[in-house]
Amino acid sequence: MGFLIDVALPLSLAFIMLSLGVGLTVSDFTRVGRQPTSFLIGAAHQMILLPIVAFCVALVFGLEGALAVGLMILAFCPGGVTTNMLAKMANGDVALSVSLTAVISLLSVLTVPVLLVLAVDHFMETAAPDVDILGIAISMFAITVVPIVIGMIFKGLAPVTAVKVEPILDVIAKILFAVIVLAALATNLDIFAENLFSLGPALFVLCGALIALGFYIPKLLGRPSSEARTVAVETGIQNGTLALAVAAFLGAGTDGFSAFAIPAAVYSIIMYIVGLPAVWFMRKAQSGRVLSSPT
């Protein structure tokens, strides 16, 4: 178990972020300046709306202690490479999706540790563990920012090879991630079983509500449907691997995965159960079969 937490989990996240970097170019960052309104709406959803909704869900479903903090960790994390794939499936603005994923992933190195302290203090009070803000920030930088930069440099130096390697990196990361999710659930099987009927519905509501808000708020603000579909995906689907890694940082010193990791592990399954039908719904909405919604 120590190998999974100390080696496999960081490597899995590094692989995922490396594959993200291999798919990025400098224009993915400079595009923010050319689409400021679209980016700001998406960023506000991820960095402001998402934590607020997650906090409300934790209160409504009575989540406490480590499980509540674990839920908030999910809300603090950016979208992952999965969002880019789902945005494409939803006929969304893939370029906007990539820009949001890239920029918010870099910013998360600064935002996640600070927000984590607030969540731990609120939900755990006197039982709150010490949070090493600098240590978590450095660890996140090492396994997120550095692989992204390496991936971008690699793509710039060998673009043809990068295209060939990207699918291989993705497969390796998914295999490692699946093992880690199962290990996190197995380590906390008793806690998971005890809280299944509160945690499961809470995560379903969180994911569904965020996708819905992510779609309809941009529409109300007059943004094109393609952008609304993109923001919906970026708001509702989070980087489960990063959430597991942050949970591992916070629970360092415990035997195996701590209870902080349970929401991320369960969510990593639920996000597909909710996300894929949502993508189908938005595609139907685009064609006018479900909603009258201009593209």
Side-chain angles (χ1 to χ4, degrees), residues 157-250:
L157 296 176
V160 176
T161 304
V163 172
K164 295 179 180 179
V165 169
E166 186 176 359
I168 299 175
L169 293 175
D170 186 53
V171 170
I172 295 174
K174 286 178 179 177
I175 293 174
L176 287 171
F177 180 54
V179 172
I180 290 165
V181 168
L182 293 175
L185 291 175
T187 303
N188 298 277
L189 195 57
D190 291 340
I191 299 176
F192 170 63
E194 291 172 5
N195 295 274
L196 178 61
F197 293 105
S198 58
L199 183 60
L203 290 170
F204 269 105
V205 169
L206 177 67
C207 191
L210 288 170
I211 290 176
L213 290 171
F215 179 79
Y216 286 107
I217 290 178
K219 290 294 294 176
L220 291 174
L221 294 175
R223 305 309 302 172
S225 290
S226 59
E227 291 184 11
R229 292 191 291 272
T230 300
V231 174
V233 170
E234 289 288 334
T235 305
I237 306 299
Q238 309 312 309
N239 189 335
T241 316
L242 178 57
L244 282 169
V246 173
F249 297 150
L250 185 59

Coordinates of all heavy atoms in Angstrom, one line a residue, residues 157-250:
L157 N 9.9 20.1 -29.3 CA 11.1 19.6 -29.9 C 10.8 18.4 -30.9 O 11.6 18.2 -31.8 CB 12.1 19.1 -28.8 CG 12.6 20.2 -27.9 CD1 13.4 19.6 -26.8 CD2 13.4 21.2 -28.7
A158 N 9.8 17.6 -30.5 CA 9.5 16.4 -31.4 C 8.0 16.2 -31.5 O 7.4 15.3 -31.0 CB 10.1 15.2 -30.7
P159 N 7.4 17.1 -32.3 CA 5.9 17.1 -32.4 C 5.4 15.8 -33.0 O 4.3 15.3 -32.5 CB 5.7 18.3 -33.4 CG 6.9 18.5 -34.1 CD 8.0 18.2 -33.1
V160 N 6.0 15.2 -33.9 CA 5.5 13.9 -34.5 C 5.6 12.8 -33.5 O 4.6 12.1 -33.3 CB 6.3 13.5 -35.8 CG1 5.9 12.2 -36.3 CG2 6.2 14.6 -36.8
T161 N 6.7 12.7 -32.8 CA 6.8 11.7 -31.7 C 5.8 11.9 -30.6 O 5.3 11.0 -30.0 CB 8.3 11.7 -31.2 OG1 9.2 11.5 -32.3 CG2 8.4 10.6 -30.2
A162 N 5.6 13.2 -30.3 CA 4.7 13.5 -29.2 C 3.3 13.0 -29.5 O 2.6 12.5 -28.6 CB 4.7 15.0 -29.0
V163 N 2.9 13.2 -30.7 CA 1.5 12.7 -31.1 C 1.4 11.2 -30.9 O 0.4 10.6 -30.5 CB 1.2 13.1 -32.6 CG1 -0.1 12.4 -33.0 CG2 1.1 14.6 -32.7
K164 N 2.5 10.4 -31.3 CA 2.5 9.0 -31.1 C 2.5 8.5 -29.7 O 1.9 7.5 -29.3 CB 3.7 8.4 -31.9 CG 3.6 8.6 -33.4 CD 4.9 8.1 -34.1 CE 4.9 8.3 -35.6 NZ 6.1 7.7 -36.3
V165 N 3.3 9.3 -28.9 CA 3.4 8.9 -27.5 C 2.2 9.2 -26.6 O 2.0 8.5 -25.6 CB 4.7 9.6 -26.9 CG1 4.8 9.4 -25.4 CG2 6.0 9.0 -27.6
E166 N 1.5 10.2 -26.9 CA 0.4 10.7 -26.1 C -0.6 9.6 -25.7 O -1.0 9.4 -24.6 CB -0.3 11.9 -26.7 CG -1.4 12.5 -25.9 CD -2.0 13.7 -26.5 OE1 -1.6 14.1 -27.7 OE2 -2.9 14.3 -25.9
P167 N -1.1 8.8 -26.7 CA -2.0 7.7 -26.3 C -1.4 6.7 -25.4 O -2.2 6.2 -24.5 CB -2.4 7.1 -27.7 CG -2.0 8.1 -28.7 CD -0.8 8.9 -28.1
I168 N -0.2 6.4 -25.5 CA 0.5 5.4 -24.6 C 0.5 6.0 -23.2 O 0.2 5.2 -22.3 CB 1.9 5.1 -25.1 CG1 1.9 4.5 -26.6 CG2 2.6 4.2 -24.2 CD1 3.3 4.3 -27.2
L169 N 0.9 7.2 -23.1 CA 0.9 7.8 -21.7 C -0.5 7.8 -21.1 O -0.6 7.5 -19.9 CB 1.4 9.3 -21.8 CG 2.8 9.5 -22.2 CD1 3.1 11.0 -22.4 CD2 3.8 8.9 -21.2
D170 N -1.5 8.0 -21.9 CA -2.9 8.0 -21.4 C -3.3 6.7 -20.9 O -3.9 6.6 -19.9 CB -3.8 8.5 -22.6 CG -5.2 8.7 -22.1 OD1 -5.4 9.4 -21.1 OD2 -6.1 8.1 -22.7
V171 N -2.9 5.6 -21.7 CA -3.3 4.3 -21.2 C -2.6 3.9 -19.9 O -3.2 3.3 -19.0 CB -2.9 3.2 -22.4 CG1 -3.0 1.8 -21.8 CG2 -3.8 3.4 -23.6
I172 N -1.3 4.2 -19.8 CA -0.6 3.9 -18.6 C -1.2 4.6 -17.4 O -1.4 4.0 -16.3 CB 0.9 4.3 -18.8 CG1 1.6 3.4 -19.8 CG2 1.6 4.2 -17.4 CD1 3.0 3.9 -20.1
A173 N -1.5 5.9 -17.6 CA -2.1 6.7 -16.5 C -3.4 6.1 -16.1 O -3.7 6.0 -14.9 CB -2.3 8.1 -16.9
K174 N -4.3 5.7 -17.0 CA -5.6 5.1 -16.7 C -5.5 3.8 -15.9 O -6.2 3.6 -15.0 CB -6.4 4.9 -17.9 CG -6.9 6.3 -18.5 CD -7.7 6.0 -19.8 CE -8.2 7.4 -20.4 NZ -8.9 7.2 -21.6
I175 N -4.5 3.0 -16.3 CA -4.3 1.7 -15.6 C -3.9 2.0 -14.1 O -4.4 1.4 -13.2 CB -3.3 0.8 -16.3 CG1 -3.8 0.4 -17.7 CG2 -2.9 -0.4 -15.4 CD1 -2.8 -0.3 -18.5
L176 N -2.9 2.9 -14.0 CA -2.4 3.2 -12.6 C -3.6 3.8 -11.8 O -3.7 3.5 -10.6 CB -1.3 4.2 -12.7 CG 0.1 3.6 -13.2 CD1 1.1 4.7 -13.4 CD2 0.6 2.6 -12.2
F177 N -4.3 4.7 -12.4 CA -5.4 5.4 -11.7 C -6.5 4.4 -11.3 O -7.0 4.5 -10.1 CB -6.0 6.4 -12.6 CG -7.2 7.2 -12.0 CD1 -7.0 7.8 -10.8 CD2 -8.4 7.3 -12.6 CE1 -8.0 8.5 -10.2 CE2 -9.4 8.0 -12.0 CZ -9.2 8.6 -10.8
A178 N -6.8 3.4 -12.1 CA -7.8 2.4 -11.7 C -7.4 1.6 -10.5 O -8.2 1.4 -9.6 CB -8.1 1.5 -12.9
V179 N -6.1 1.2 -10.5 CA -5.5 0.5 -9.4 C -5.6 1.3 -8.1 O -6.0 0.8 -7.0 CB -4.1 0.1 -9.7 CG1 -3.5 -0.5 -8.4 CG2 -4.1 -0.9 -10.8
I180 N -5.3 2.6 -8.2 CA -5.2 3.5 -7.0 C -6.6 3.7 -6.5 O -6.9 3.7 -5.3 CB -4.6 4.8 -7.4 CG1 -3.1 4.6 -7.6 CG2 -4.8 5.9 -6.3 CD1 -2.4 5.7 -8.3
V181 N -7.6 3.9 -7.4 CA -9.0 4.1 -6.9 C -9.5 2.9 -6.2 O -10.1 3.0 -5.1 CB -9.9 4.4 -8.1 CG1 -11.4 4.3 -7.7 CG2 -9.7 5.8 -8.7
L182 N -9.3 1.7 -6.7 CA -9.7 0.5 -6.0 C -9.0 0.3 -4.7 O -9.6 -0.1 -3.7 CB -9.4 -0.7 -6.9 CG -10.2 -0.8 -8.2 CD1 -9.8 -2.0 -9.1 CD2 -11.7 -0.9 -7.9
A183 N -7.7 0.7 -4.6 CA -6.9 0.6 -3.4 C -7.4 1.5 -2.3 O -7.5 1.2 -1.2 CB -5.4 0.8 -3.7
A184 N -7.8 2.7 -2.8 CA -8.3 3.7 -1.8 C -9.7 3.2 -1.2 O -9.9 3.4 0.0 CB -8.5 5.1 -2.5
L185 N -10.5 2.6 -2.1 CA -11.8 2.1 -1.6 C -11.6 0.9 -0.6 O -12.2 0.8 0.4 CB -12.7 1.7 -2.7 CG -13.2 2.9 -3.6 CD1 -14.0 2.4 -4.8 CD2 -14.1 3.8 -2.7
A186 N -10.7 0.0 -1.0 CA -10.4 -1.2 -0.3 C -9.8 -0.9 1.1 O -10.2 -1.5 2.1 CB -9.4 -2.1 -1.0
T187 N -9.0 0.1 1.2 CA -8.3 0.5 2.4 C -9.4 1.1 3.4 O -9.2 0.9 4.6 CB -7.3 1.6 2.2 OG1 -6.3 1.1 1.3 CG2 -6.6 2.0 3.5
N188 N -10.4 1.7 2.9 CA -11.4 2.4 3.8 C -12.8 1.7 3.6 O -13.8 2.4 3.6 CB -11.5 3.9 3.5 CG -10.2 4.6 3.8 OD1 -9.9 4.9 4.9 ND2 -9.4 4.8 2.7
L189 N -12.8 0.4 3.3 CA -14.1 -0.3 3.0 C -15.1 -0.1 4.1 O -16.3 0.2 3.7 CB -13.8 -1.7 2.8 CG -14.9 -2.5 2.1 CD1 -15.2 -1.9 0.7 CD2 -14.5 -4.0 1.9
D190 N -14.8 -0.2 5.3 CA -15.8 0.0 6.4 C -16.3 1.4 6.4 O -17.6 1.6 6.5 CB -15.1 -0.3 7.8 CG -14.7 -1.8 7.9 OD1 -15.3 -2.6 7.2 OD2 -13.9 -2.1 8.8
I191 N -15.5 2.4 6.3 CA -15.9 3.8 6.3 C -16.8 4.1 5.1 O -17.8 4.7 5.2 CB -14.7 4.8 6.4 CG1 -13.9 4.5 7.6 CG2 -15.2 6.2 6.3 CD1 -12.7 5.4 7.7
F192 N -16.4 3.5 4.0 CA -17.1 3.7 2.7 C -18.5 3.1 2.8 O -19.5 3.7 2.5 CB -16.4 3.0 1.6 CG -17.2 3.0 0.3 CD1 -17.6 4.1 -0.4 CD2 -17.5 1.7 -0.2 CE1 -18.3 4.0 -1.5 CE2 -18.2 1.6 -1.4 CZ -18.6 2.8 -2.1
A193 N -18.6 1.9 3.4 CA -19.9 1.2 3.5 C -20.8 1.9 4.5 O -22.0 2.1 4.3 CB -19.7 -0.2 4.0
E194 N -20.2 2.5 5.6 CA -21.0 3.2 6.6 C -21.6 4.5 6.0 O -22.7 4.9 6.5 CB -20.2 3.5 7.8 CG -19.8 2.3 8.6 CD -18.7 2.6 9.7 OE1 -18.4 3.8 9.8 OE2 -18.3 1.7 10.4
N195 N -20.9 5.1 5.1 CA -21.3 6.4 4.6 C -21.8 6.4 3.1 O -22.1 7.4 2.5 CB -20.2 7.4 4.7 CG -19.7 7.7 6.1 OD1 -20.3 8.5 6.8 ND2 -18.7 6.9 6.6
L196 N -22.0 5.2 2.6 CA -22.4 5.0 1.2 C -23.7 5.8 0.9 O -23.8 6.5 -0.1 CB -22.6 3.6 0.9 CG -23.0 3.2 -0.6 CD1 -22.0 3.8 -1.6 CD2 -23.2 1.8 -0.8
F197 N -24.7 5.7 1.8 CA -26.0 6.3 1.5 C -26.1 7.8 1.7 O -27.1 8.4 1.3 CB -27.1 5.6 2.3 CG -27.3 4.1 1.9 CD1 -26.8 3.1 2.8 CD2 -27.9 3.8 0.8 CE1 -26.9 1.8 2.4 CE2 -28.1 2.4 0.4 CZ -27.6 1.4 1.2
S198 N -25.0 8.3 2.2 CA -25.0 9.8 2.3 C -23.9 10.3 1.3 O -24.2 11.3 0.6 CB -24.6 10.3 3.7 OG -23.3 9.7 4.1
L199 N -22.8 9.7 1.2 CA -21.7 10.1 0.3 C -22.1 9.9 -1.2 O -21.9 10.8 -2.0 CB -20.4 9.4 0.6 CG -19.2 9.8 -0.2 CD1 -18.9 11.3 0.0 CD2 -18.0 8.9 0.2
G200 N -22.7 8.7 -1.5 CA -23.0 8.5 -2.9 C -24.0 9.5 -3.5 O -23.7 10.1 -4.5
P201 N -25.1 9.7 -2.8 CA -26.1 10.7 -3.3 C -25.5 12.1 -3.4 O -25.8 12.9 -4.3 CB -27.2 10.6 -2.3 CG -27.2 9.2 -1.8 CD -25.7 8.9 -1.7
A202 N -24.7 12.4 -2.3 CA -24.0 13.8 -2.3 C -23.2 14.0 -3.5 O -23.2 15.1 -4.2 CB -23.2 13.9 -1.0
L203 N -22.4 13.0 -3.9 CA -21.5 13.1 -5.1 C -22.3 13.1 -6.4 O -22.0 13.9 -7.3 CB -20.5 12.0 -5.1 CG -19.5 12.0 -4.0 CD1 -18.7 10.7 -4.0 CD2 -18.5 13.2 -4.2
F204 N -23.4 12.4 -6.5 CA -24.3 12.4 -7.6 C -24.9 13.8 -7.8 O -24.9 14.4 -8.9 CB -25.4 11.4 -7.5 CG -25.1 10.1 -8.1 CD1 -24.8 9.0 -7.3 CD2 -25.1 9.9 -9.5 CE1 -24.5 7.8 -7.8 CE2 -24.8 8.7 -10.0 CZ -24.5 7.6 -9.2
V205 N -25.4 14.4 -6.7 CA -26.0 15.7 -6.7 C -24.9 16.8 -7.1 O -25.2 17.7 -7.9 CB -26.6 16.1 -5.3 CG1 -27.0 17.5 -5.3 CG2 -27.9 15.2 -5.1
L206 N -23.7 16.6 -6.5 CA -22.7 17.6 -6.7 C -22.3 17.6 -8.2 O -22.3 18.7 -8.8 CB -21.4 17.2 -5.9 CG -20.2 18.1 -6.2 CD1 -20.4 19.5 -5.7 CD2 -18.9 17.5 -5.5
C207 N -22.1 16.5 -8.8 CA -21.7 16.4 -10.2 C -22.8 16.9 -11.1 O -22.6 17.7 -12.0 CB -21.3 14.9 -10.5 SG -20.5 14.7 -12.1
G208 N -24.0 16.4 -10.8 CA -25.2 16.8 -11.7 C -25.5 18.3 -11.6 O -25.8 18.9 -12.6
A209 N -25.5 18.8 -10.4 CA -25.8 20.2 -10.2 C -24.8 21.1 -10.8 O -25.1 22.1 -11.5 CB -25.9 20.5 -8.7
L210 N -23.5 20.7 -10.7 CA -22.5 21.6 -11.3 C -22.5 21.5 -12.9 O -22.3 22.6 -13.5 CB -21.1 21.1 -10.8 CG -20.8 21.4 -9.4 CD1 -19.5 20.7 -8.9 CD2 -20.6 22.9 -9.2
I211 N -22.8 20.4 -13.4 CA -22.9 20.3 -14.9 C -24.1 21.2 -15.4 O -24.0 21.9 -16.3 CB -23.1 18.9 -15.4 CG1 -21.8 18.1 -15.2 CG2 -23.5 18.8 -16.8 CD1 -21.9 16.6 -15.5
A212 N -25.2 21.1 -14.6 CA -26.4 21.9 -15.0 C -26.1 23.4 -14.8 O -26.4 24.2 -15.8 CB -27.6 21.5 -14.1
L213 N -25.6 23.8 -13.7 CA -25.2 25.2 -13.5 C -24.2 25.7 -14.6 O -24.3 26.8 -15.1 CB -24.7 25.4 -12.1 CG -25.7 25.3 -11.0 CD1 -25.0 25.3 -9.6 CD2 -26.8 26.4 -11.1
G214 N -23.2 24.8 -14.8 CA -22.2 25.2 -15.8 C -22.7 25.4 -17.2 O -22.2 26.1 -18.0
F215 N -23.9 24.7 -17.5 CA -24.5 24.9 -18.8 C -25.4 26.1 -18.9 O -25.3 26.9 -19.8 CB -25.3 23.6 -19.2 CG -25.9 23.7 -20.5 CD1 -25.2 23.5 -21.7 CD2 -27.3 24.0 -20.6 CE1 -25.8 23.6 -22.9 CE2 -27.9 24.1 -21.9 CZ -27.1 23.9 -23.0
Y216 N -26.3 26.2 -17.9 CA -27.3 27.2 -18.0 C -26.9 28.6 -17.6 O -27.4 29.6 -18.1 CB -28.5 26.8 -17.1 CG -29.3 25.7 -17.7 CD1 -29.3 24.4 -17.2 CD2 -30.1 25.9 -18.9 CE1 -30.0 23.4 -17.8 CE2 -30.8 24.9 -19.4 CZ -30.7 23.6 -18.9 OH -31.4 22.6 -19.5
I217 N -25.9 28.8 -16.7 CA -25.4 30.1 -16.4 C -24.8 30.8 -17.6 O -25.1 32.0 -17.9 CB -24.5 30.1 -15.2 CG1 -25.2 29.7 -13.9 CG2 -23.8 31.4 -15.0 CD1 -24.4 29.6 -12.6
P218 N -23.9 30.2 -18.3 CA -23.3 30.8 -19.5 C -24.4 31.2 -20.5 O -24.3 32.2 -21.2 CB -22.3 29.8 -20.0 CG -21.9 29.0 -18.9 CD -23.1 28.9 -18.0
K219 N -25.4 30.3 -20.6 CA -26.5 30.5 -21.6 C -27.3 31.8 -21.1 O -27.6 32.6 -22.0 CB -27.5 29.4 -21.6 CG -26.9 28.1 -22.3 CD -26.7 28.3 -23.8 CE -28.0 28.6 -24.5 NZ -27.7 28.9 -26.0
L220 N -27.5 31.9 -19.8 CA -28.2 33.1 -19.4 C -27.4 34.4 -19.6 O -27.9 35.5 -19.7 CB -28.5 33.0 -17.9 CG -29.6 31.9 -17.5 CD1 -29.7 31.8 -16.0 CD2 -31.0 32.3 -18.1
L221 N -26.1 34.2 -19.6 CA -25.2 35.4 -19.8 C -25.0 35.6 -21.3 O -24.2 36.5 -21.7 CB -23.8 35.1 -19.2 CG -23.8 35.0 -17.7 CD1 -22.4 34.7 -17.1 CD2 -24.3 36.4 -17.1
G222 N -25.7 34.9 -22.2 CA -25.7 35.1 -23.6 C -24.5 34.5 -24.4 O -24.2 34.9 -25.5
R223 N -23.8 33.5 -23.7 CA -22.7 32.9 -24.4 C -23.2 31.8 -25.4 O -24.3 31.2 -25.2 CB -21.8 32.3 -23.4 CG -21.2 33.2 -22.4 CD -20.7 34.5 -22.9 NE -19.6 34.2 -23.9 CZ -19.0 35.1 -24.6 NH1 -19.5 36.4 -24.6 NH2 -18.0 34.8 -25.4
P224 N -22.5 31.5 -26.4 CA -22.9 30.5 -27.4 C -23.0 29.1 -26.7 O -22.4 28.8 -25.7 CB -21.7 30.5 -28.4 CG -21.0 31.8 -28.2 CD -21.2 32.2 -26.8
S225 N -23.8 28.3 -27.3 CA -24.1 26.9 -26.7 C -22.8 26.1 -26.6 O -22.6 25.3 -25.7 CB -25.1 26.2 -27.5 OG -26.4 26.8 -27.3
S226 N -21.9 26.3 -27.6 CA -20.7 25.5 -27.6 C -19.8 25.8 -26.3 O -19.2 25.0 -25.7 CB -19.9 25.8 -28.9 OG -19.5 27.1 -29.0
E227 N -19.8 27.1 -26.0 CA -19.1 27.5 -24.8 C -19.8 27.0 -23.5 O -19.2 26.6 -22.5 CB -19.0 29.0 -24.7 CG -18.0 29.6 -25.8 CD -17.8 31.1 -25.6 OE1 -18.3 31.7 -24.6 OE2 -17.2 31.7 -26.5
A228 N -21.2 27.1 -23.5 CA -21.9 26.6 -22.4 C -21.7 25.1 -22.1 O -21.5 24.7 -21.0 CB -23.4 26.9 -22.6
R229 N -21.6 24.3 -23.2 CA -21.4 22.9 -23.0 C -20.0 22.7 -22.5 O -19.7 21.8 -21.6 CB -21.5 22.2 -24.4 CG -23.0 22.2 -24.9 CD -23.1 21.2 -26.1 NE -22.5 21.7 -27.3 CZ -23.0 22.5 -28.2 NH1 -24.2 23.0 -28.0 NH2 -22.3 22.9 -29.2
T230 N -19.0 23.5 -22.9 CA -17.6 23.4 -22.4 C -17.5 23.7 -21.0 O -16.9 23.0 -20.2 CB -16.7 24.3 -23.2 OG1 -16.7 23.9 -24.6 CG2 -15.3 24.2 -22.7
V231 N -18.1 24.8 -20.6 CA -18.1 25.2 -19.2 C -18.8 24.2 -18.3 O -18.4 24.0 -17.1 CB -18.7 26.7 -19.0 CG1 -18.8 27.0 -17.5 CG2 -17.9 27.7 -19.7
A232 N -19.9 23.6 -18.8 CA -20.6 22.6 -18.0 C -19.7 21.4 -17.7 O -19.6 20.9 -16.6 CB -21.8 22.1 -18.8
V233 N -18.9 21.0 -18.7 CA -18.0 19.9 -18.5 C -16.9 20.2 -17.6 O -16.5 19.5 -16.6 CB -17.5 19.4 -19.9 CG1 -16.3 18.4 -19.7 CG2 -18.6 18.7 -20.7
E234 N -16.3 21.4 -17.8 CA -15.2 21.8 -17.0 C -15.6 22.1 -15.5 O -14.8 21.9 -14.6 CB -14.6 23.1 -17.6 CG -13.8 22.9 -18.9 CD -12.5 22.2 -18.7 OE1 -11.9 22.3 -17.6 OE2 -12.0 21.6 -19.6
T235 N -16.8 22.5 -15.3 CA -17.3 22.7 -14.0 C -17.7 21.4 -13.2 O -17.4 21.3 -12.0 CB -18.5 23.7 -14.0 OG1 -18.2 24.9 -14.7 CG2 -19.0 24.0 -12.6
G236 N -18.3 20.5 -14.0 CA -18.8 19.3 -13.3 C -17.8 18.2 -13.2 O -18.1 17.3 -12.4
I237 N -16.8 18.1 -14.0 CA -15.8 17.0 -14.0 C -14.5 17.5 -13.4 O -13.8 18.4 -14.0 CB -15.7 16.4 -15.4 CG1 -17.0 16.1 -16.0 CG2 -14.7 15.2 -15.3 CD1 -17.8 15.0 -15.2
Q238 N -14.0 16.8 -12.3 CA -12.8 17.3 -11.7 C -11.7 16.2 -11.9 O -11.9 15.1 -12.2 CB -13.0 17.5 -10.2 CG -14.2 18.4 -9.9 CD -14.2 19.7 -10.7 OE1 -13.2 20.4 -10.7 NE2 -15.3 20.0 -11.3
N239 N -10.5 16.7 -11.6 CA -9.3 15.8 -11.7 C -9.2 14.9 -10.5 O -8.6 15.3 -9.4 CB -8.0 16.7 -11.8 CG -6.8 15.9 -12.1 OD1 -6.7 14.7 -11.8 ND2 -5.8 16.5 -12.7
G240 N -9.8 13.7 -10.6 CA -9.8 12.8 -9.4 C -8.5 12.4 -9.0 O -8.2 12.2 -7.8
T241 N -7.5 12.2 -9.9 CA -6.2 11.8 -9.5 C -5.5 12.9 -8.6 O -4.9 12.5 -7.7 CB -5.3 11.6 -10.8 OG1 -6.1 10.8 -11.7 CG2 -4.1 10.8 -10.4
L242 N -5.7 14.1 -9.0 CA -5.1 15.2 -8.2 C -5.7 15.2 -6.8 O -5.1 15.4 -5.8 CB -5.3 16.5 -8.9 CG -4.7 17.8 -8.2 CD1 -3.2 17.6 -7.8 CD2 -5.0 19.0 -9.0
A243 N -7.1 15.0 -6.8 CA -7.8 15.0 -5.5 C -7.2 13.9 -4.6 O -7.1 14.1 -3.4 CB -9.3 14.9 -5.7
L244 N -7.0 12.7 -5.2 CA -6.4 11.6 -4.4 C -5.0 11.9 -3.9 O -4.7 11.6 -2.8 CB -6.4 10.3 -5.3 CG -7.7 9.6 -5.5 CD1 -7.6 8.5 -6.6 CD2 -8.2 9.0 -4.2
A245 N -4.3 12.6 -4.8 CA -2.9 13.0 -4.4 C -2.9 14.0 -3.2 O -2.2 13.8 -2.2 CB -2.2 13.6 -5.6
V246 N -3.8 15.0 -3.3 CA -3.9 16.0 -2.2 C -4.4 15.3 -0.9 O -3.9 15.6 0.2 CB -4.9 17.1 -2.6 CG1 -5.1 18.0 -1.4 CG2 -4.3 17.9 -3.8
A247 N -5.3 14.4 -1.1 CA -5.8 13.6 0.1 C -4.7 12.8 0.7 O -4.5 12.7 2.0 CB -6.9 12.7 -0.3
A248 N -3.8 12.3 -0.1 CA -2.6 11.5 0.4 C -1.7 12.4 1.1 O -1.1 12.1 2.1 CB -2.0 10.8 -0.8
F249 N -1.4 13.6 0.5 CA -0.6 14.6 1.2 C -1.1 15.0 2.6 O -0.4 15.0 3.6 CB -0.4 15.9 0.4 CG 0.2 15.7 -1.0 CD1 -0.2 16.5 -2.1 CD2 1.1 14.7 -1.2 CE1 0.4 16.3 -3.3 CE2 1.7 14.5 -2.4 CZ 1.4 15.3 -3.5
L250 N -2.4 15.2 2.6 CA -3.0 15.6 3.9 C -3.0 14.5 4.9 O -2.9 14.7 6.1 CB -4.5 16.0 3.6 CG -5.2 16.6 4.8 CD1 -4.5 17.9 5.3 CD2 -6.7 17.0 4.4

